[in-house]
Amino acid sequence: MVEPAETRATREDLERLPSHVVGELIGGTLHTLPRPRPPHANAATGLGGELNRGFQRGRGGPGGW
């Protein structure tokens, strides 16, 4: 039995994703994940701000990455 040819994902496949899903094309393969919920996004933003203060800007931390 012959296997069907694998088709590569396109930008159109990415644009057709529902709004609650995020995706990216890597090597012609569409990879998807559910969009983060607001509490997760808020936590990630807060953590990023704390890390940026001490490491990127050098305030209260070693400064520099």
Side-chain angles (χ1 to χ4, degrees), residues 31-62:
H31 297 269
T32 61
L33 291 168
R35 186 173 299 279
R37 304 290 301 164
H40 178 268
N42 289 339
T45 301
L47 180 57
E50 290 297 317
L51 290 172
N52 188 38
R53 183 180 341 182
F55 289 92
Q56 187 70 23
R57 299 181 185 270
R59 297 182 189 143

Side-chain angles (χ1 to χ4, degrees), residues 6 8-10 14 23-32:
E6 189 172 317
R8 295 175 61 86
T10 64
L14 192 58
E24 62 183 337
L25 292 171
I26 301 175
T29 302
L30 178 61
H31 297 269
T32 61

Side-chain angles (χ1 to χ4, degrees), residues 9-17 25 30:
T10 64
R11 182 171 181 87
E12 289 77 31
D13 295 320
L14 192 58
E15 292 171 350
R16 278 190 290 237
L17 292 174
L25 292 171
L30 178 61

